Amino acid sequence: MSSLQIADREFDSRLIVGSGRFPDPETMREALRASGTEMVTVALRRANLNTDEGENVLKYLQDDGYFLLPNTAGCYTAEEAITTAKLGREALGTNWVKLEVIGDDETLFPDVPELLKAAEKLILEDFVVLPYANDDPITCRKLADMGCAAVMPLGAPIGSGMGIRNPYNLRIIKDLVDVPVIVDAGVGTASDAAIAMELGMDAVLMNSAISQAKHPVKMAEAMKKSIEAGRLALESGRMPKRLYAKASSPEEGLIEVDREEQ
């Protein structure tokens, strides 16, 4: 499977995983290992990096060697998101940011005007911006044109597990932009991830699909395999769809049979 290139970094895994909502830190660590991910997101405003047991989740992630991607989850204005991104740069020593600017608590859909405003300002301050966006081709094209390192359209609402609800828009987005397209949010099971990859997406970001599974470590392994299978299928080139049947065995050289004698 080919590698994933985002800005100046290259990743062997096309699966990005969030670090929140796991039952405990050890389950998180085992699931992340099973997923094969190299990049892990950290929600600076929402995630409690210190558990009740006093175990430092951030230290675990750093010790395990993951590339940490701070995100601005929980921000509702461009200014909140910009401030949080700067805090992430100070805390984690990276200018990368997964940019989220949420419109409301019900849908957790992005606030597009605020998102565009925040992205533009952060790019001017030399951030590598990966914005969480609606599955809207025009919004994604604007984000890519202004200099975002990737665009991250939702597959379905955050935490819904509804899968890929609008594959046609995702394909249009992929055609319109020249940066990686990463499906972010909505994946519920392994087949959803495979579908995203078969559609031509460059990667998939997920959290709840793994952390909220009955067996997170097993689901993480399933997601790893589904990402690999979906990408391999895309690179292989599927057979064309046909309305009518076509025999899989050769039709030339068939043994002559007199049907009237049967």
Side-chain angles (χ1 to χ4, degrees):
M1 186 171 69
S2 58
S3 60
L4 170 65
Q5 182 81 36
I6 304 176
D8 61 347
R9 294 190 68 97
E10 194 171 282
F11 302 91
D12 291 328
S13 173
R14 291 177 178 268
L15 174 59
I16 306 168
V17 183
S19 56
R21 302 189 68 191
F22 283 92
D24 54 76
E26 192 54 41
T27 300
M28 178 197 73
R29 296 182 83 179
E30 290 181 21
L32 292 177
R33 291 188 195 111
S35 75
T37 188
E38 297 165 80
M39 191 190 316
V40 177
T41 66
V42 179
L44 295 172
R45 296 195 67 184
R46 283 184 175 162
N48 181 5
L49 299 179
N50 294 297
T51 68
D52 293 336
E53 294 79 20
E55 296 176 280
N56 191 306
V57 173
L58 179 57
K59 184 177 185 304
Y60 286 155
L61 297 174
Q62 291 172 326
D63 287 349
D64 290 343
Y66 296 108
F67 178 79
L68 299 185
L69 178 65
N71 75 51
T72 63
C75 294
Y76 290 82
T77 67
E79 289 308 314
E80 285 181 350
I82 292 167
T83 299
T84 303
K86 291 179 179 178
L87 290 173
R89 181 165 59 183
E90 290 295 319
L92 301 181
T94 177
N95 65 333
W96 285 51
V97 63
K98 181 195 169 194
L99 178 62
E100 296 185 29
V101 186
I102 301 302
D104 63 59
D105 288 325
E106 294 295 322
T107 66
L108 299 180
F109 283 154
D111 182 322
V112 173
E114 292 293 296
L115 176 67
L116 292 169
K117 186 191 305 183
E120 185 174 26
K121 289 184 177 180
L122 287 171
I123 290 168
L124 289 174
E125 297 199 29
D126 295 324
F127 278 87
V128 177
V129 180
L130 286 70
Y132 162 67
N134 296 308
D135 57 350
D136 169 27
I138 303 305
T139 297
C140 288
R141 184 170 64 185
K142 287 181 178 180
L143 289 165
D145 288 348
M146 72 171 59
C148 289
V151 293
M152 307 178 80
L154 56 86
I158 292 173
S160 69
M162 291 292 290
I164 308 301
R165 299 203 306 181
N166 197 337
Y168 306 105
N169 273 22
L170 294 179
R171 290 177 62 184
I172 293 171
I173 291 168
K174 182 62 181 172
D175 286 344
L176 288 181
V177 304
D178 293 325
V179 297
V181 180
I182 303 169
V183 168
D184 179 9
V187 168
T189 191
S191 58
D192 299 331
I195 288 170
M197 300 307 294
E198 289 175 3
L199 286 170
M201 303 301 103
D202 296 283
V204 178
L205 190 155
M206 64 182 75
N207 189 170
S208 299
I210 294 175
S211 66
Q212 300 299 292
K214 186 175 181 180
H215 300 290
V217 179
K218 288 184 178 180
M219 183 60 80
E221 184 180 358
M223 291 300 186
K224 174 186 178 181
K225 293 177 178 177
S226 68
I227 292 285
E228 292 173 351
R231 180 68 187 188
L232 188 59
L234 174 73
E235 293 177 350
S236 300
R238 65 155 293 150
M239 64 169 287
K241 294 181 180 180
R242 298 185 180 92
L243 182 60
Y244 293 97
K246 181 176 177 62
S248 57
S249 56
E251 297 180 356
E252 296 80 14
L254 293 177
I255 299 173
E256 293 289 339
V257 175
D258 189 342
R259 295 182 180 178
E260 294 183 358
E261 295 180 359
Q262 291 183 334

